[in-house]
Amino acid sequence: MDTDGTARPGRARWTAVVLANLLTGCLGVPALLVLLFFVQSYPLVWIGLGSRDPNDNDGILPWILLLGPLWAGTVALWFLVNLGVARLTGLRGRRFWWTGAGLAAVPTALLALYSAI
């Protein structure tokens, strides 16, 4: 058995991908939660699957002004982190990017499941 670390070089590369995206996903939780609140307050109400808060009289503009920069910053951070990880590990392609996107959503999904219990 090889103990010099060359037996499975792919494992260390994918571990870096997993850790980077889980940490980035933790930073993306506020953006996803604000998006969830927006969807519950407007699009779902528009199609008849909810009711609006009677005290909400500001309209949709404050939501757009909040969600736009928040999502732009979150996506830019995720993209730059993954670009750096891709250069360091040598991993490329759809599998790398889709794995990263899925892993970045895991912290929010766990938080949603925890709050549903």
Side-chain angles (χ1 to χ4, degrees):
M1 183 176 237
D2 243 351
T3 58
D4 61 357
T6 59
R8 294 187 62 128
R11 178 179 280 178
R13 294 188 303 173
W14 282 104
T15 302
V17 173
V18 169
L19 290 176
N21 282 292
L22 287 177
L23 290 173
T24 307
C26 289
L27 296 175
V29 166
L32 288 170
L33 287 177
V34 171
L35 180 66
L36 175 68
F37 295 147
F38 169 75
V39 169
Q40 288 176 344
S41 296
Y42 287 95
L44 289 179
V45 171
W46 292 336
I47 61 174
L49 296 176
S51 61
R52 276 188 67 194
D53 180 13
N55 296 324
D56 182 17
N57 58 1
D58 294 330
I60 199 169
L61 183 62
W63 284 98
I64 303 271
L65 293 175
L66 176 68
L67 280 172
L70 186 62
W71 267 94
T74 301
V75 170
L77 177 69
W78 176 82
F79 180 75
L80 291 173
V81 166
N82 277 299
L83 198 59
V85 170
R87 287 184 181 171
L88 287 174
T89 61
L91 296 171
R92 305 269 189 274
R94 288 184 184 173
R95 182 177 175 198
F96 170 77
W97 289 101
W98 282 109
T99 302
L103 287 169
V106 166
T108 303
L110 290 177
L111 187 64
L113 287 174
Y114 179 73
S115 67
I117 295 177

